[in-house]
Amino acid sequence: MTPDTSEPRCGSASTRGVVLSGTGGVWRIRTDGGESLDASLRGRLKNRAATRPSEARRPKLAVGDRVGVEPGRHGGWAIAEILPRTSKLSRRAPVGAFGERILAANVDQVIVVVAAAHPEPNSRMLDRFLIIAEANELGARIVVNKVDLADEAETHRWCEPYERAGYPVHYASVKLGRGVDAIRAVLDNRISVLTGPSGVGKSSMINAIFPGLNLRVGAISESVQKGRHTTVGSVMVPLPAPGGGYVVDTPGLREVGIWDLPAGALDRCFPEFRPQLGLCRFGDCRHSLEPGCAVLDAVRRGDISVARFESYTLLLDQLVSGS
Ligand code: GDP
Ligand code: ZN
């Protein structure tokens, strides 16, 4: 869409849209009318973002943000307004730096895809993704793809702790077309961050649900990033009608460590621990060796799975040692 200066516009009216990607200060916007346009951020909005020295170079705007755009003074389009966010997915900056890096705004859910086999599912890896979602107060669901390659009972056993923790688990085989409709239904009308290790079938899944979209999850962001000065890294892809919705591909999430999470906040990122928190004898209990620990008691009773507790312990060690 190119700016049409011949048509009179109401001074205050602006076109609303959503940010799909951003590279080198140019943001790709999809208007509510379904058109695409490129816009830059009004200087006024840029200045307000730079309240601290290290934030000056960091774009305040993120993929998923809803914005108001107006014709720019020198042609093109300008983002004149950023609407309030309902949620965000971010990683906090390393210790010593200011601010945070927002990977995506207005995210409704994080969908972590793993494979039942090839590659083997890895609970440590899955737990890390789930913790990132929890730390951002975002709902998460798990897709276990490639169920055709593994023993069904074994796959269900592996997933049991996650189902018990309250995560919806979708069993799927893109190859057999199994579970695909259910995944399409949860993508409808929502902004979903799709993540997981490579090779588990994320791209195959999206392309099976939306033939013709030809999406290569993981590759689009890399191509956007190539040879540019600044980038947000994340890319949001509109899904075809009638369901609509968006899938966010964010390489930042895949590479994120959880080094930036305070060790004391890790327990709250395990939903099945939460009923026990506050019941330990010591207020600052880390649930490792302390006497009177309600979390350990729940593990002994079988209310918390040993695998998830081991994951907690390992991650806690890493957070404490800073690795
Ligand atoms: P991504 O890296 O997560 O996007 O994974 P891809 O979509 O590229 O898939 C990796 C490989 O797994 C490809 O060779 C797919 O054909 C294969 N694959 C995807 N889904 C399934 C499935 O349900 N069953 C089997 N057996 N193979 C699958
Ligand atoms: Zn405890």
Side-chain angles (χ1 to χ4, degrees), residues 113 118 145-149 172-176 196-205 207 215-218:
V113 186
H118 303 284
N145 187 37
K146 305 199 189 185
V147 293
D148 56 287
L149 296 181
S173 167
V174 171
K175 191 178 173 188
L176 304 180
S198 67
V200 296
K202 298 180 296 297
S203 312
S204 312
M205 192 179 86
N207 293 329
L215 185 64
R216 173 79 221 157
V217 180

mmCIF file with all atom_site columns, all heavy atoms in Angstrom, residues 113 118 145-149 172-176 196-205 207 215-218, ligand 1:
data_model
loop_
_atom_site.group_PDB
_atom_site.id
_atom_site.type_symbol
_atom_site.label_atom_id
_atom_site.label_alt_id
_atom_site.label_comp_id
_atom_site.label_asym_id
_atom_site.label_entity_id
_atom_site.label_seq_id
_atom_site.pdbx_PDB_ins_code
_atom_site.Cartn_x
_atom_site.Cartn_y
_atom_site.Cartn_z
_atom_site.occupancy
_atom_site.B_iso_or_equiv
_atom_site.pdbx_formal_charge
_atom_site.auth_seq_id
_atom_site.auth_comp_id
_atom_site.auth_asym_id
_atom_site.auth_atom_id
_atom_site.pdbx_PDB_model_num
ATOM   1   N N   . VAL A 1 113 ? 6.562  -27.350 20.608 1.00 0.00 ? 113 VAL A N   1
ATOM   2   C CA  . VAL A 1 113 ? 6.456  -28.595 19.845 1.00 0.00 ? 113 VAL A CA  1
ATOM   3   C C   . VAL A 1 113 ? 7.671  -29.461 20.157 1.00 0.00 ? 113 VAL A C   1
ATOM   4   O O   . VAL A 1 113 ? 8.815  -28.985 20.137 1.00 0.00 ? 113 VAL A O   1
ATOM   5   C CB  . VAL A 1 113 ? 6.381  -28.315 18.324 1.00 0.00 ? 113 VAL A CB  1
ATOM   6   C CG1 . VAL A 1 113 ? 6.127  -29.612 17.546 1.00 0.00 ? 113 VAL A CG1 1
ATOM   7   C CG2 . VAL A 1 113 ? 5.296  -27.293 18.011 1.00 0.00 ? 113 VAL A CG2 1
ATOM   8   N N   . HIS A 1 118 ? 12.916 -38.995 17.247 1.00 0.00 ? 118 HIS A N   1
ATOM   9   C CA  . HIS A 1 118 ? 13.599 -38.377 16.075 1.00 0.00 ? 118 HIS A CA  1
ATOM   10  C C   . HIS A 1 118 ? 13.275 -36.897 15.912 1.00 0.00 ? 118 HIS A C   1
ATOM   11  O O   . HIS A 1 118 ? 12.569 -36.551 14.994 1.00 0.00 ? 118 HIS A O   1
ATOM   12  C CB  . HIS A 1 118 ? 13.303 -39.153 14.785 1.00 0.00 ? 118 HIS A CB  1
ATOM   13  C CG  . HIS A 1 118 ? 13.679 -40.588 14.853 1.00 0.00 ? 118 HIS A CG  1
ATOM   14  N ND1 . HIS A 1 118 ? 14.973 -41.021 14.755 1.00 0.00 ? 118 HIS A ND1 1
ATOM   15  C CD2 . HIS A 1 118 ? 12.913 -41.694 15.052 1.00 0.00 ? 118 HIS A CD2 1
ATOM   16  C CE1 . HIS A 1 118 ? 15.001 -42.337 14.869 1.00 0.00 ? 118 HIS A CE1 1
ATOM   17  N NE2 . HIS A 1 118 ? 13.763 -42.764 15.062 1.00 0.00 ? 118 HIS A NE2 1
ATOM   18  N N   . ASN A 1 145 ? 4.572  -34.220 18.466 1.00 0.00 ? 145 ASN A N   1
ATOM   19  C CA  . ASN A 1 145 ? 4.406  -34.654 17.079 1.00 0.00 ? 145 ASN A CA  1
ATOM   20  C C   . ASN A 1 145 ? 5.166  -35.967 16.849 1.00 0.00 ? 145 ASN A C   1
ATOM   21  O O   . ASN A 1 145 ? 5.914  -36.413 17.714 1.00 0.00 ? 145 ASN A O   1
ATOM   22  C CB  . ASN A 1 145 ? 4.917  -33.541 16.145 1.00 0.00 ? 145 ASN A CB  1
ATOM   23  C CG  . ASN A 1 145 ? 4.631  -33.839 14.691 1.00 0.00 ? 145 ASN A CG  1
ATOM   24  O OD1 . ASN A 1 145 ? 3.586  -34.400 14.349 1.00 0.00 ? 145 ASN A OD1 1
ATOM   25  N ND2 . ASN A 1 145 ? 5.559  -33.484 13.810 1.00 0.00 ? 145 ASN A ND2 1
ATOM   26  N N   . LYS A 1 146 ? 4.973  -36.535 15.703 1.00 0.00 ? 146 LYS A N   1
ATOM   27  C CA  . LYS A 1 146 ? 5.645  -37.789 15.298 1.00 0.00 ? 146 LYS A CA  1
ATOM   28  C C   . LYS A 1 146 ? 5.275  -38.960 16.203 1.00 0.00 ? 146 LYS A C   1
ATOM   29  O O   . LYS A 1 146 ? 6.125  -39.822 16.469 1.00 0.00 ? 146 LYS A O   1
ATOM   30  C CB  . LYS A 1 146 ? 7.178  -37.617 15.274 1.00 0.00 ? 146 LYS A CB  1
ATOM   31  C CG  . LYS A 1 146 ? 7.679  -36.467 14.398 1.00 0.00 ? 146 LYS A CG  1
ATOM   32  C CD  . LYS A 1 146 ? 9.141  -36.634 14.050 1.00 0.00 ? 146 LYS A CD  1
ATOM   33  C CE  . LYS A 1 146 ? 9.688  -35.385 13.375 1.00 0.00 ? 146 LYS A CE  1
ATOM   34  N NZ  . LYS A 1 146 ? 11.061 -35.532 12.902 1.00 0.00 ? 146 LYS A NZ  1
ATOM   35  N N   . VAL A 1 147 ? 4.015  -38.985 16.674 1.00 0.00 ? 147 VAL A N   1
ATOM   36  C CA  . VAL A 1 147 ? 3.616  -40.127 17.509 1.00 0.00 ? 147 VAL A CA  1
ATOM   37  C C   . VAL A 1 147 ? 3.668  -41.428 16.714 1.00 0.00 ? 147 VAL A C   1
ATOM   38  O O   . VAL A 1 147 ? 3.705  -42.516 17.298 1.00 0.00 ? 147 VAL A O   1
ATOM   39  C CB  . VAL A 1 147 ? 2.215  -39.931 18.152 1.00 0.00 ? 147 VAL A CB  1
ATOM   40  C CG1 . VAL A 1 147 ? 2.233  -38.793 19.165 1.00 0.00 ? 147 VAL A CG1 1
ATOM   41  C CG2 . VAL A 1 147 ? 1.146  -39.698 17.104 1.00 0.00 ? 147 VAL A CG2 1
ATOM   42  N N   . ASP A 1 148 ? 3.691  -41.340 15.397 1.00 0.00 ? 148 ASP A N   1
ATOM   43  C CA  . ASP A 1 148 ? 3.801  -42.552 14.565 1.00 0.00 ? 148 ASP A CA  1
ATOM   44  C C   . ASP A 1 148 ? 5.148  -43.246 14.734 1.00 0.00 ? 148 ASP A C   1
ATOM   45  O O   . ASP A 1 148 ? 5.293  -44.405 14.368 1.00 0.00 ? 148 ASP A O   1
ATOM   46  C CB  . ASP A 1 148 ? 3.569  -42.190 13.090 1.00 0.00 ? 148 ASP A CB  1
ATOM   47  C CG  . ASP A 1 148 ? 4.521  -41.110 12.592 1.00 0.00 ? 148 ASP A CG  1
ATOM   48  O OD1 . ASP A 1 148 ? 4.349  -39.937 12.974 1.00 0.00 ? 148 ASP A OD1 1
ATOM   49  O OD2 . ASP A 1 148 ? 5.450  -41.429 11.839 1.00 0.00 ? 148 ASP A OD2 1
ATOM   50  N N   . LEU A 1 149 ? 6.123  -42.536 15.289 1.00 0.00 ? 149 LEU A N   1
ATOM   51  C CA  . LEU A 1 149 ? 7.476  -43.104 15.375 1.00 0.00 ? 149 LEU A CA  1
ATOM   52  C C   . LEU A 1 149 ? 7.786  -43.709 16.743 1.00 0.00 ? 149 LEU A C   1
ATOM   53  O O   . LEU A 1 149 ? 8.897  -44.196 16.958 1.00 0.00 ? 149 LEU A O   1
ATOM   54  C CB  . LEU A 1 149 ? 8.530  -42.030 15.065 1.00 0.00 ? 149 LEU A CB  1
ATOM   55  C CG  . LEU A 1 149 ? 8.533  -41.439 13.652 1.00 0.00 ? 149 LEU A CG  1
ATOM   56  C CD1 . LEU A 1 149 ? 9.644  -40.412 13.511 1.00 0.00 ? 149 LEU A CD1 1
ATOM   57  C CD2 . LEU A 1 149 ? 8.688  -42.546 12.610 1.00 0.00 ? 149 LEU A CD2 1
ATOM   58  N N   . ALA A 1 172 ? 0.127  -35.659 18.122 1.00 0.00 ? 172 ALA A N   1
ATOM   59  C CA  . ALA A 1 172 ? -0.072 -35.432 16.693 1.00 0.00 ? 172 ALA A CA  1
ATOM   60  C C   . ALA A 1 172 ? 0.907  -36.243 15.856 1.00 0.00 ? 172 ALA A C   1
ATOM   61  O O   . ALA A 1 172 ? 2.002  -36.607 16.309 1.00 0.00 ? 172 ALA A O   1
ATOM   62  C CB  . ALA A 1 172 ? 0.116  -33.945 16.369 1.00 0.00 ? 172 ALA A CB  1
ATOM   63  N N   . SER A 1 173 ? 0.459  -36.523 14.668 1.00 0.00 ? 173 SER A N   1
ATOM   64  C CA  . SER A 1 173 ? 1.364  -37.022 13.645 1.00 0.00 ? 173 SER A CA  1
ATOM   65  C C   . SER A 1 173 ? 0.996  -36.295 12.363 1.00 0.00 ? 173 SER A C   1
ATOM   66  O O   . SER A 1 173 ? -0.050 -36.550 11.777 1.00 0.00 ? 173 SER A O   1
ATOM   67  C CB  . SER A 1 173 ? 1.218  -38.529 13.445 1.00 0.00 ? 173 SER A CB  1
ATOM   68  O OG  . SER A 1 173 ? 1.883  -38.891 12.251 1.00 0.00 ? 173 SER A OG  1
ATOM   69  N N   . VAL A 1 174 ? 1.851  -35.373 11.996 1.00 0.00 ? 174 VAL A N   1
ATOM   70  C CA  . VAL A 1 174 ? 1.602  -34.643 10.757 1.00 0.00 ? 174 VAL A CA  1
ATOM   71  C C   . VAL A 1 174 ? 1.606  -35.633 9.599  1.00 0.00 ? 174 VAL A C   1
ATOM   72  O O   . VAL A 1 174 ? 0.812  -35.542 8.670  1.00 0.00 ? 174 VAL A O   1
ATOM   73  C CB  . VAL A 1 174 ? 2.669  -33.535 10.570 1.00 0.00 ? 174 VAL A CB  1
ATOM   74  C CG1 . VAL A 1 174 ? 2.561  -32.915 9.192  1.00 0.00 ? 174 VAL A CG1 1
ATOM   75  C CG2 . VAL A 1 174 ? 2.524  -32.482 11.656 1.00 0.00 ? 174 VAL A CG2 1
ATOM   76  N N   . LYS A 1 175 ? 2.477  -36.633 9.726  1.00 0.00 ? 175 LYS A N   1
ATOM   77  C CA  . LYS A 1 175 ? 2.592  -37.629 8.650  1.00 0.00 ? 175 LYS A CA  1
ATOM   78  C C   . LYS A 1 175 ? 1.275  -38.371 8.440  1.00 0.00 ? 175 LYS A C   1
ATOM   79  O O   . LYS A 1 175 ? 0.861  -38.598 7.304  1.00 0.00 ? 175 LYS A O   1
ATOM   80  C CB  . LYS A 1 175 ? 3.710  -38.612 9.001  1.00 0.00 ? 175 LYS A CB  1
ATOM   81  C CG  . LYS A 1 175 ? 4.092  -39.501 7.858  1.00 0.00 ? 175 LYS A CG  1
ATOM   82  C CD  . LYS A 1 175 ? 5.231  -40.420 8.235  1.00 0.00 ? 175 LYS A CD  1
ATOM   83  C CE  . LYS A 1 175 ? 5.468  -41.420 7.123  1.00 0.00 ? 175 LYS A CE  1
ATOM   84  N NZ  . LYS A 1 175 ? 6.444  -42.436 7.543  1.00 0.00 ? 175 LYS A NZ  1
ATOM   85  N N   . LEU A 1 176 ? 0.612  -38.727 9.539  1.00 0.00 ? 176 LEU A N   1
ATOM   86  C CA  . LEU A 1 176 ? -0.652 -39.467 9.433  1.00 0.00 ? 176 LEU A CA  1
ATOM   87  C C   . LEU A 1 176 ? -1.865 -38.529 9.437  1.00 0.00 ? 176 LEU A C   1
ATOM   88  O O   . LEU A 1 176 ? -3.000 -38.995 9.379  1.00 0.00 ? 176 LEU A O   1
ATOM   89  C CB  . LEU A 1 176 ? -0.785 -40.462 10.590 1.00 0.00 ? 176 LEU A CB  1
ATOM   90  C CG  . LEU A 1 176 ? 0.339  -41.480 10.786 1.00 0.00 ? 176 LEU A CG  1
ATOM   91  C CD1 . LEU A 1 176 ? 0.045  -42.378 11.981 1.00 0.00 ? 176 LEU A CD1 1
ATOM   92  C CD2 . LEU A 1 176 ? 0.534  -42.321 9.522  1.00 0.00 ? 176 LEU A CD2 1
ATOM   93  N N   . GLY A 1 196 ? 10.221 -24.694 19.803 1.00 0.00 ? 196 GLY A N   1
ATOM   94  C CA  . GLY A 1 196 ? 10.630 -26.090 19.986 1.00 0.00 ? 196 GLY A CA  1
ATOM   95  C C   . GLY A 1 196 ? 11.911 -26.325 19.216 1.00 0.00 ? 196 GLY A C   1
ATOM   96  O O   . GLY A 1 196 ? 12.299 -25.504 18.381 1.00 0.00 ? 196 GLY A O   1
ATOM   97  N N   . PRO A 1 197 ? 12.557 -27.438 19.476 1.00 0.00 ? 197 PRO A N   1
ATOM   98  C CA  . PRO A 1 197 ? 13.821 -27.702 18.786 1.00 0.00 ? 197 PRO A CA  1
ATOM   99  C C   . PRO A 1 197 ? 13.602 -27.914 17.287 1.00 0.00 ? 197 PRO A C   1
ATOM   100 O O   . PRO A 1 197 ? 12.471 -28.149 16.855 1.00 0.00 ? 197 PRO A O   1
ATOM   101 C CB  . PRO A 1 197 ? 14.335 -28.986 19.438 1.00 0.00 ? 197 PRO A CB  1
ATOM   102 C CG  . PRO A 1 197 ? 13.237 -29.512 20.268 1.00 0.00 ? 197 PRO A CG  1
ATOM   103 C CD  . PRO A 1 197 ? 12.152 -28.501 20.381 1.00 0.00 ? 197 PRO A CD  1
ATOM   104 N N   . SER A 1 198 ? 14.667 -27.829 16.530 1.00 0.00 ? 198 SER A N   1
ATOM   105 C CA  . SER A 1 198 ? 14.496 -28.023 15.091 1.00 0.00 ? 198 SER A CA  1
ATOM   106 C C   . SER A 1 198 ? 14.356 -29.514 14.793 1.00 0.00 ? 198 SER A C   1
ATOM   107 O O   . SER A 1 198 ? 14.820 -30.357 15.546 1.00 0.00 ? 198 SER A O   1
ATOM   108 C CB  . SER A 1 198 ? 15.665 -27.405 14.316 1.00 0.00 ? 198 SER A CB  1
ATOM   109 O OG  . SER A 1 198 ? 16.823 -28.113 14.603 1.00 0.00 ? 198 SER A OG  1
ATOM   110 N N   . GLY A 1 199 ? 13.646 -29.791 13.737 1.00 0.00 ? 199 GLY A N   1
ATOM   111 C CA  . GLY A 1 199 ? 13.473 -31.174 13.308 1.00 0.00 ? 199 GLY A CA  1
ATOM   112 C C   . GLY A 1 199 ? 12.279 -31.881 13.911 1.00 0.00 ? 199 GLY A C   1
ATOM   113 O O   . GLY A 1 199 ? 12.027 -33.047 13.611 1.00 0.00 ? 199 GLY A O   1
ATOM   114 N N   . VAL A 1 200 ? 11.503 -31.196 14.765 1.00 0.00 ? 200 VAL A N   1
ATOM   115 C CA  . VAL A 1 200 ? 10.364 -31.864 15.405 1.00 0.00 ? 200 VAL A CA  1
ATOM   116 C C   . VAL A 1 200 ? 9.101  -31.802 14.539 1.00 0.00 ? 200 VAL A C   1
ATOM   117 O O   . VAL A 1 200 ? 8.121  -32.478 14.823 1.00 0.00 ? 200 VAL A O   1
ATOM   118 C CB  . VAL A 1 200 ? 10.066 -31.271 16.813 1.00 0.00 ? 200 VAL A CB  1
ATOM   119 C CG1 . VAL A 1 200 ? 11.238 -31.527 17.759 1.00 0.00 ? 200 VAL A CG1 1
ATOM   120 C CG2 . VAL A 1 200 ? 9.731  -29.795 16.744 1.00 0.00 ? 200 VAL A CG2 1
ATOM   121 N N   . GLY A 1 201 ? 9.132  -30.944 13.502 1.00 0.00 ? 201 GLY A N   1
ATOM   122 C CA  . GLY A 1 201 ? 8.001  -30.900 12.574 1.00 0.00 ? 201 GLY A CA  1
ATOM   123 C C   . GLY A 1 201 ? 7.155  -29.646 12.656 1.00 0.00 ? 201 GLY A C   1
ATOM   124 O O   . GLY A 1 201 ? 6.005  -29.652 12.221 1.00 0.00 ? 201 GLY A O   1
ATOM   125 N N   . LYS A 1 202 ? 7.720  -28.560 13.169 1.00 0.00 ? 202 LYS A N   1
ATOM   126 C CA  . LYS A 1 202 ? 6.952  -27.304 13.271 1.00 0.00 ? 202 LYS A CA  1
ATOM   127 C C   . LYS A 1 202 ? 6.525  -26.804 11.895 1.00 0.00 ? 202 LYS A C   1
ATOM   128 O O   . LYS A 1 202 ? 5.362  -26.454 11.672 1.00 0.00 ? 202 LYS A O   1
ATOM   129 C CB  . LYS A 1 202 ? 7.782  -26.214 13.978 1.00 0.00 ? 202 LYS A CB  1
ATOM   130 C CG  . LYS A 1 202 ? 8.160  -26.548 15.400 1.00 0.00 ? 202 LYS A CG  1
ATOM   131 C CD  . LYS A 1 202 ? 8.974  -25.451 16.050 1.00 0.00 ? 202 LYS A CD  1
ATOM   132 C CE  . LYS A 1 202 ? 10.332 -25.203 15.401 1.00 0.00 ? 202 LYS A CE  1
ATOM   133 N NZ  . LYS A 1 202 ? 11.250 -26.366 15.476 1.00 0.00 ? 202 LYS A NZ  1
ATOM   134 N N   . SER A 1 203 ? 7.469  -26.765 10.978 1.00 0.00 ? 203 SER A N   1
ATOM   135 C CA  . SER A 1 203 ? 7.158  -26.263 9.635  1.00 0.00 ? 203 SER A CA  1
ATOM   136 C C   . SER A 1 203 ? 6.172  -27.196 8.946  1.00 0.00 ? 203 SER A C   1
ATOM   137 O O   . SER A 1 203 ? 5.198  -26.745 8.334  1.00 0.00 ? 203 SER A O   1
ATOM   138 C CB  . SER A 1 203 ? 8.423  -26.150 8.790  1.00 0.00 ? 203 SER A CB  1
ATOM   139 O OG  . SER A 1 203 ? 9.438  -25.504 9.513  1.00 0.00 ? 203 SER A OG  1
ATOM   140 N N   . SER A 1 204 ? 6.412  -28.499 9.060  1.00 0.00 ? 204 SER A N   1
ATOM   141 C CA  . SER A 1 204 ? 5.503  -29.468 8.432  1.00 0.00 ? 204 SER A CA  1
ATOM   142 C C   . SER A 1 204 ? 4.089  -29.294 8.979  1.00 0.00 ? 204 SER A C   1
ATOM   143 O O   . SER A 1 204 ? 3.111  -29.396 8.243  1.00 0.00 ? 204 SER A O   1
ATOM   144 C CB  . SER A 1 204 ? 5.956  -30.901 8.713  1.00 0.00 ? 204 SER A CB  1
ATOM   145 O OG  . SER A 1 204 ? 7.318  -31.060 8.462  1.00 0.00 ? 204 SER A OG  1
ATOM   146 N N   . MET A 1 205 ? 3.997  -29.038 10.286 1.00 0.00 ? 205 MET A N   1
ATOM   147 C CA  . MET A 1 205 ? 2.692  -28.905 10.925 1.00 0.00 ? 205 MET A CA  1
ATOM   148 C C   . MET A 1 205 ? 1.934  -27.691 10.391 1.00 0.00 ? 205 MET A C   1
ATOM   149 O O   . MET A 1 205 ? 0.774  -27.793 9.992  1.00 0.00 ? 205 MET A O   1
ATOM   150 C CB  . MET A 1 205 ? 2.914  -28.764 12.432 1.00 0.00 ? 205 MET A CB  1
ATOM   151 C CG  . MET A 1 205 ? 1.681  -28.890 13.267 1.00 0.00 ? 205 MET A CG  1
ATOM   152 S SD  . MET A 1 205 ? 2.155  -28.739 15.014 1.00 0.00 ? 205 MET A SD  1
ATOM   153 C CE  . MET A 1 205 ? 2.109  -26.979 15.208 1.00 0.00 ? 205 MET A CE  1
ATOM   154 N N   . ASN A 1 207 ? 2.425  -26.103 7.640  1.00 0.00 ? 207 ASN A N   1
ATOM   155 C CA  . ASN A 1 207 ? 2.124  -26.257 6.216  1.00 0.00 ? 207 ASN A CA  1
ATOM   156 C C   . ASN A 1 207 ? 1.032  -27.296 5.961  1.00 0.00 ? 207 ASN A C   1
ATOM   157 O O   . ASN A 1 207 ? 0.308  -27.203 4.976  1.00 0.00 ? 207 ASN A O   1
ATOM   158 C CB  . ASN A 1 207 ? 3.401  -26.580 5.441  1.00 0.00 ? 207 ASN A CB  1
ATOM   159 C CG  . ASN A 1 207 ? 4.356  -25.394 5.456  1.00 0.00 ? 207 ASN A CG  1
ATOM   160 O OD1 . ASN A 1 207 ? 3.926  -24.243 5.493  1.00 0.00 ? 207 ASN A OD1 1
ATOM   161 N ND2 . ASN A 1 207 ? 5.652  -25.653 5.482  1.00 0.00 ? 207 ASN A ND2 1
ATOM   162 N N   . LEU A 1 215 ? 5.531  -21.977 4.996  1.00 0.00 ? 215 LEU A N   1
ATOM   163 C CA  . LEU A 1 215 ? 6.281  -21.344 6.069  1.00 0.00 ? 215 LEU A CA  1
ATOM   164 C C   . LEU A 1 215 ? 7.412  -22.261 6.520  1.00 0.00 ? 215 LEU A C   1
ATOM   165 O O   . LEU A 1 215 ? 7.206  -23.456 6.730  1.00 0.00 ? 215 LEU A O   1
ATOM   166 C CB  . LEU A 1 215 ? 5.320  -21.079 7.224  1.00 0.00 ? 215 LEU A CB  1
ATOM   167 C CG  . LEU A 1 215 ? 5.870  -20.321 8.418  1.00 0.00 ? 215 LEU A CG  1
ATOM   168 C CD1 . LEU A 1 215 ? 6.265  -18.918 8.000  1.00 0.00 ? 215 LEU A CD1 1
ATOM   169 C CD2 . LEU A 1 215 ? 4.825  -20.274 9.510  1.00 0.00 ? 215 LEU A CD2 1
ATOM   170 N N   . ARG A 1 216 ? 8.558  -21.691 6.654  1.00 0.00 ? 216 ARG A N   1
ATOM   171 C CA  . ARG A 1 216 ? 9.693  -22.444 7.190  1.00 0.00 ? 216 ARG A CA  1
ATOM   172 C C   . ARG A 1 216 ? 10.004 -21.810 8.553  1.00 0.00 ? 216 ARG A C   1
ATOM   173 O O   . ARG A 1 216 ? 10.660 -20.770 8.618  1.00 0.00 ? 216 ARG A O   1
ATOM   174 C CB  . ARG A 1 216 ? 10.860 -22.345 6.213  1.00 0.00 ? 216 ARG A CB  1
ATOM   175 C CG  . ARG A 1 216 ? 12.154 -22.922 6.659  1.00 0.00 ? 216 ARG A CG  1
ATOM   176 C CD  . ARG A 1 216 ? 12.224 -24.430 6.534  1.00 0.00 ? 216 ARG A CD  1
ATOM   177 N NE  . ARG A 1 216 ? 12.889 -24.934 7.734  1.00 0.00 ? 216 ARG A NE  1
ATOM   178 C CZ  . ARG A 1 216 ? 12.763 -26.159 8.199  1.00 0.00 ? 216 ARG A CZ  1
ATOM   179 N NH1 . ARG A 1 216 ? 12.010 -27.018 7.593  1.00 0.00 ? 216 ARG A NH1 1
ATOM   180 N NH2 . ARG A 1 216 ? 13.395 -26.528 9.279  1.00 0.00 ? 216 ARG A NH2 1
ATOM   181 N N   . VAL A 1 217 ? 9.501  -22.413 9.604  1.00 0.00 ? 217 VAL A N   1
ATOM   182 C CA  . VAL A 1 217 ? 9.689  -21.833 10.937 1.00 0.00 ? 217 VAL A CA  1
ATOM   183 C C   . VAL A 1 217 ? 11.175 -21.857 11.276 1.00 0.00 ? 217 VAL A C   1
ATOM   184 O O   . VAL A 1 217 ? 11.818 -22.887 11.183 1.00 0.00 ? 217 VAL A O   1
ATOM   185 C CB  . VAL A 1 217 ? 8.885  -22.612 12.006 1.00 0.00 ? 217 VAL A CB  1
ATOM   186 C CG1 . VAL A 1 217 ? 9.094  -22.003 13.387 1.00 0.00 ? 217 VAL A CG1 1
ATOM   187 C CG2 . VAL A 1 217 ? 7.416  -22.632 11.644 1.00 0.00 ? 217 VAL A CG2 1
ATOM   188 N N   . GLY A 1 218 ? 11.690 -20.705 11.663 1.00 0.00 ? 218 GLY A N   1
ATOM   189 C CA  . GLY A 1 218 ? 13.113 -20.629 11.980 1.00 0.00 ? 218 GLY A CA  1
ATOM   190 C C   . GLY A 1 218 ? 13.887 -19.969 10.866 1.00 0.00 ? 218 GLY A C   1
ATOM   191 O O   . GLY A 1 218 ? 14.835 -19.238 11.117 1.00 0.00 ? 218 GLY A O   1
HETATM 192 P P1  . GDP B 2 .   ? 11.046 -28.165 12.085 1.00 0.00 ? 1   GDP B P1  1
HETATM 193 O O1  . GDP B 2 .   ? 12.529 -27.984 12.044 1.00 0.00 ? 1   GDP B O1  1
HETATM 194 O O2  . GDP B 2 .   ? 10.548 -28.298 13.490 1.00 0.00 ? 1   GDP B O2  1
HETATM 195 O O3  . GDP B 2 .   ? 10.298 -27.136 11.311 1.00 0.00 ? 1   GDP B O3  1
HETATM 196 O O4  . GDP B 2 .   ? 10.758 -29.605 11.429 1.00 0.00 ? 1   GDP B O4  1
HETATM 197 P P2  . GDP B 2 .   ? 10.318 -29.966 9.925  1.00 0.00 ? 1   GDP B P2  1
HETATM 198 O O5  . GDP B 2 .   ? 8.901  -29.569 9.699  1.00 0.00 ? 1   GDP B O5  1
HETATM 199 O O6  . GDP B 2 .   ? 11.342 -29.461 8.977  1.00 0.00 ? 1   GDP B O6  1
HETATM 200 O O7  . GDP B 2 .   ? 10.347 -31.568 9.985  1.00 0.00 ? 1   GDP B O7  1
HETATM 201 C C1  . GDP B 2 .   ? 11.551 -32.298 10.150 1.00 0.00 ? 1   GDP B C1  1
HETATM 202 C C2  . GDP B 2 .   ? 11.396 -33.672 9.533  1.00 0.00 ? 1   GDP B C2  1
HETATM 203 O O8  . GDP B 2 .   ? 10.416 -34.440 10.228 1.00 0.00 ? 1   GDP B O8  1
HETATM 204 C C3  . GDP B 2 .   ? 10.931 -33.619 8.083  1.00 0.00 ? 1   GDP B C3  1
HETATM 205 O O9  . GDP B 2 .   ? 11.665 -34.577 7.352  1.00 0.00 ? 1   GDP B O9  1
HETATM 206 C C4  . GDP B 2 .   ? 9.466  -34.024 8.156  1.00 0.00 ? 1   GDP B C4  1
HETATM 207 O O10 . GDP B 2 .   ? 9.011  -34.654 6.990  1.00 0.00 ? 1   GDP B O10 1
HETATM 208 C C5  . GDP B 2 .   ? 9.454  -34.975 9.322  1.00 0.00 ? 1   GDP B C5  1
HETATM 209 N N1  . GDP B 2 .   ? 8.149  -35.032 10.028 1.00 0.00 ? 1   GDP B N1  1
HETATM 210 C C6  . GDP B 2 .   ? 7.357  -34.017 10.375 1.00 0.00 ? 1   GDP B C6  1
HETATM 211 N N2  . GDP B 2 .   ? 6.251  -34.438 11.011 1.00 0.00 ? 1   GDP B N2  1
HETATM 212 C C7  . GDP B 2 .   ? 6.345  -35.791 11.073 1.00 0.00 ? 1   GDP B C7  1
HETATM 213 C C8  . GDP B 2 .   ? 5.498  -36.820 11.641 1.00 0.00 ? 1   GDP B C8  1
HETATM 214 O O11 . GDP B 2 .   ? 4.430  -36.587 12.227 1.00 0.00 ? 1   GDP B O11 1
HETATM 215 N N3  . GDP B 2 .   ? 5.965  -38.092 11.523 1.00 0.00 ? 1   GDP B N3  1
HETATM 216 C C9  . GDP B 2 .   ? 7.130  -38.402 10.908 1.00 0.00 ? 1   GDP B C9  1
HETATM 217 N N4  . GDP B 2 .   ? 7.486  -39.680 10.852 1.00 0.00 ? 1   GDP B N4  1
HETATM 218 N N5  . GDP B 2 .   ? 7.929  -37.462 10.373 1.00 0.00 ? 1   GDP B N5  1
HETATM 219 C C10 . GDP B 2 .   ? 7.550  -36.165 10.450 1.00 0.00 ? 1   GDP B C10 1
#
